DNA sequence: TTGTATGCGTTATCAT
DNA sequence: ATGATAACGCATACAA
């Protein structure tokens, strides 16, 4: 910057002013600005973001915490975040939580050392208090996907997956005639799991259907492998025909593969309903009937909410944005 | 740091020394170090990485440039990079090039503004000169996947996909008896494309088989959609039976879907051979016969090479690491 | 409108 | 072994 200043025949602070985009015009003479720009070009000068960050306490960096980069559900979300962030001149840090509370805490530690301007978390196990601490300690804006948070400054995007699951189960009964409907879930500590479980339970109650213990499991972990394993466990204690709702598509696809491997026909012997509508859902055979989320829209909303706050367009209380879902009927149920 | 110094009853510079990990022991008295650590704990102090970066010219940040986060081929690679980087205390920036030269240049621009300690590029279109410039301008270490670079300081990991493709084509003929073998490729500007094309051509020559123009296309772009489109184009100008090699699995899966949609049977009417062995390859029906790469190993090697240099264990001339491939025989060919 | 001077939180050089 | 002190490259309060 000093070099630029020398070439342009001005002081370093004038260069700084000329280059700082937010203080548009007014602060520096048009003629001076031009000289500075010429010098910048001539010297091929680039501002150093590290120095700028140190001084301005702003990093032009956002972090995205997802469960796992290899779960396709997150791709359209992350990709949208990356693209929008890029337009705003921001870079994107991506970390995986593997649905683990410990890794989320680890993530917070990282963020404490390398402050970012904004954080997007999907999903998250942190308590309101922990989120609050993260905010006050780092000064970052936070937006999340999910509705189990109530912090005055944390905007969230949410999908009513309790109701979505409810409707899915009702549909399995009313449209497909299933009486025996199972549930492949995850431990209570994995956020969207319990909500979907409640939707299932409510639906079964409203339908007057018994919940068969043999058809219910919380041993999944959102992975394809866990779907295979859990369906195997179920089949070792009870026999088809039945239908089963899997907490996400990866699990559903695993369950489907396992059922096929054990010689059962889908959906005749075992009907399977998933959740998410990831790309693979349409690719597998039989293709997966599932409750579709709209990840691109989710990504857009999250990023919008975040930049609204990062760029100070919004300072008021937490906002909520709901994104729709829909049942996509394919072959597995 | 000043607060810590006050509590520990030492000077700020002593705190710095006590905390700087590379200057192990020796520099500061064990007793003093302990007092500092206690103070750090008591005050819940965290070093500020931005300030550290400004001073040390080291960012503890690496960037990974991939084509597209939604292509599963990259997931195990990226995930490995993230995990290893985390162990080293590094954060990972991820950017998408969409196989576009312009976006790669854009990426370089970003990196120029926000220096990183290391860069992993897969794939890349940049010329040796451009890479060289990136290195001298940013001081970053660079490692790449692919062998079309010759820079004295850029280590690379490579898979002999020319030979892999060659063997794949030979296999289609010798093991499966195909005489008519097509090629779904990409424009010459997309790095691994040409290498695979050469492997195909060499195999066809060695087999004494004619290359039918109607069965060859460079209109793909590594996407699923392009596979559908290109196979449609091929089918509009010639009729099965034939076999076709697709430049990557996504394209192969698209082609497979299109063939099925148009009423053809795989592999009887149209046999399909892919490249990569992404997770979906085993999931689709018919499951995809493909040339498997070892993405996890690729990720490990890339990260190893990179940190060897970042952490100054290696300073010599560029190293090359070759990773194996193998044909995975499933149902599509 | 421009320049001077200061400090953001570290690391590193130099004395002591 | 420790403590002053000077950068690192920039943004900004204040003075001119």
């Amino acid at each position: 910057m000093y070099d630029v200043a020398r070439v342009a025949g001005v002081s370093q602070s004038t260069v700084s002013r000329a280059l700082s985009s937010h203080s548009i015009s007014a602060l520096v003479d048009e003629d001076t600005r031009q000289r500075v720009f010429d010098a910048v070009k001539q010297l091929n000068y680039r501002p150093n973001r590290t120095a700028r960050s140190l001084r301005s306490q702003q990093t032009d960096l956002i972090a995205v915490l997802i469960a796992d980069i290899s779960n396709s559900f997150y791709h359209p979300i992350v990709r949208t975040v990356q693209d929008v962030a890029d337009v705003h001149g921001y870079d994107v840090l991506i970390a995986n939580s593997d649905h683990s509370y410990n890794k989320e805490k680890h993530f917070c530690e990282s963020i404490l050392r390398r402050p970012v301007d904004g954080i997007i978390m999907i999903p998250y196990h942190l308590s309101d208090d922990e989120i609050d601490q993260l905010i006050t300690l780092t000064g970052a804006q936070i937006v999340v996907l999910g509705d189990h948070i109530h912090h005055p400054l944390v905007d969230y995007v949410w999908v009513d997956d309790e109701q979505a699951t409810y409707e899915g189960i009702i549909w399995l009964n009313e449209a497909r005639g299933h009486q025996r409907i199972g549930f492949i879930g995850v431990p209570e500590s994995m956020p969207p799991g319990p909500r979907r479980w409640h939707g299932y339970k409510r639906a079964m109650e409203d339908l007057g259907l018994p919940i068969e213990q043999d058809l219910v499991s919380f041993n999944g972990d959102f992975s394809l492998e866990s779907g295979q394993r859990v369906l195997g466990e179920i089949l070792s204690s009870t026999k088809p025909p039945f239908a089963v709702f899997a907490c996400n598509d990866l699990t559903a696809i695993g369950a489907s593969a396992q059922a096929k491997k054990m010689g059962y026909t889908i959906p005749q012997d075992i009907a399977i309903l998933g959740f998410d509508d990831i790309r693979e859902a349409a690719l597998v055979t039989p293709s997966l009937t599932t409750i579709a989320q709209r990840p691109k829209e989710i990504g857009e909303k999250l990023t919008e909410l975040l930049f609204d706050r990062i760029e100070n367009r919004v300072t008021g209380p937490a906002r909520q944005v709901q994104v729709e879902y829909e049942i996509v009927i394919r072959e597995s149920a």
Side-chain angles (χ1 to χ4, degrees), chain A:
Chain A
M1 221 153 149
Y2 280 98
D3 294 342
V4 174
R6 194 165 15 79
V7 171
V10 296
S11 77
Q12 175 265 332
S13 56
T14 299
V15 175
S16 174
R17 266 187 299 258
L19 294 181
S20 73
S21 44
H22 60 274
S23 57
I24 320 177
S25 63
L27 294 178
V28 53
D29 192 80
E30 186 47 39
D31 179 60
T32 312
R33 174 193 298 284
Q34 196 51 54
R35 289 216 312 284
V36 169
F37 273 64
D38 289 348
V40 163
K41 191 143 214 171
Q42 182 190 329
L43 296 177
N44 199 23
Y45 162 85
R46 329 261 169 178
N48 179 316
R49 257 162 138 154
T50 306
R52 177 180 296 201
S53 293
L54 182 59
R55 175 63 229 229
S56 65
Q57 304 293 27
Q58 197 187 316
T59 58
D60 292 1
L61 202 59
I62 65 179
V64 179
L65 181 65
I66 58 179
D68 176 11
I69 199 178
S70 69
N71 182 335
S72 346
F73 171 63
Y74 300 107
H75 299 160
I77 302 183
V78 170
R79 189 54 207 262
T80 304
V81 174
Q82 288 177 322
D83 290 345
V84 177
D86 189 67
V87 171
H88 289 253
Y90 276 68
D91 290 318
V92 180
L93 239 47
I94 296 176
N96 308 285
S97 72
D98 291 319
H99 292 285
S100 134
Y101 173 79
N102 286 337
K103 293 209 174 181
E104 275 183 45
K105 292 300 280 183
H106 180 75
F107 169 79
C108 294
E109 284 296 319
S110 306
I111 294 303
L112 249 38
R113 292 207 193 72
R114 182 195 305 288
V116 296
D117 295 346
I119 302 175
I120 297 180
M121 298 181 69
I122 30 181
Y124 57 98
H125 303 66
L126 267 31
S127 68
D128 287 13
D129 274 1
E130 289 169 317
I131 298 248
D132 186 65
Q133 210 177 109
L134 191 60
I135 293 179
T136 56
L137 253 41
T138 70
Q141 303 292 342
I142 303 186
V143 306
V144 302
L145 173 62
D147 63 351
H148 55 290
I149 193 170
H150 299 94
H151 187 285
L153 288 175
V154 175
D155 299 328
Y156 65 77
V157 173
W158 68 294
V159 177
D160 192 349
D161 42 6
E162 197 271 0
Q163 179 65 18
T165 306
Y166 177 86
E167 291 174 15
I169 303 298
I170 298 289
W171 176 86
L172 279 175
N173 173 262
E174 294 188 346
R176 292 298 194 249
H178 288 286
Q179 305 281 329
R180 304 182 64 208
I181 304 177
F183 181 89
I184 300 182
V186 294
E188 200 173 356
S189 62
M190 294 179 157
R195 296 206 299 275
R196 294 175 193 175
W197 164 245
H198 293 139
Y200 164 84
K201 225 170 49 175
R202 182 159 65 85
M204 293 301 272
E205 280 164 14
D206 284 3
L207 290 170
L209 258 30
I211 294 182
E212 299 181 38
Q213 289 313 316
D214 287 347
L215 284 178
V216 170
S217 167
F218 300 101
N219 292 333
D221 61 8
F222 293 122
S223 75
L224 202 142
E225 293 69 28
S226 78
Q228 297 179 279
R229 180 169 37 74
V230 171
L231 195 79
E233 290 166 11
I234 289 178
L235 285 174
S236 71
S237 60
T238 188
K239 291 284 156 263
F242 58 78
V244 60
F245 167 81
C247 255
N248 73 341
D249 281 356
L250 239 31
T251 312
I253 290 172
S256 176
Q258 182 66 24
K260 272 164 68 179
K261 194 160 112 190
M262 295 178 69
Y264 294 104
T265 309
I266 299 170
Q268 290 78 7
D269 298 330
I270 302 178
I272 298 180
L273 175 63
F275 203 114
D276 281 351
D277 195 23
I278 59 177
R279 183 171 66 189
E280 290 92 327
L283 251 37
V284 294
T285 303
S287 58
L288 191 64
T289 295
T290 187
I291 298 167
Q293 304 206 56
R294 302 182 181 170
K296 230 187 121 182
E297 191 177 335
I298 291 173
E300 282 164 7
K301 301 297 188 193
L302 284 168
T303 326
E304 249 172 58
L305 292 172
L306 187 62
F307 278 104
D308 275 353
R309 289 194 183 270
I310 287 182
E311 292 168 352
N312 275 309
R313 279 187 298 277
V314 172
T315 53
R319 297 166 296 166
Q320 293 85 39
V321 175
Q322 185 169 5
V323 173
E324 287 307 313
Y325 57 84
E326 64 185 313
I327 299 187
V328 175
I329 301 172
R330 298 205 181 88
E331 301 167 349
S332 72

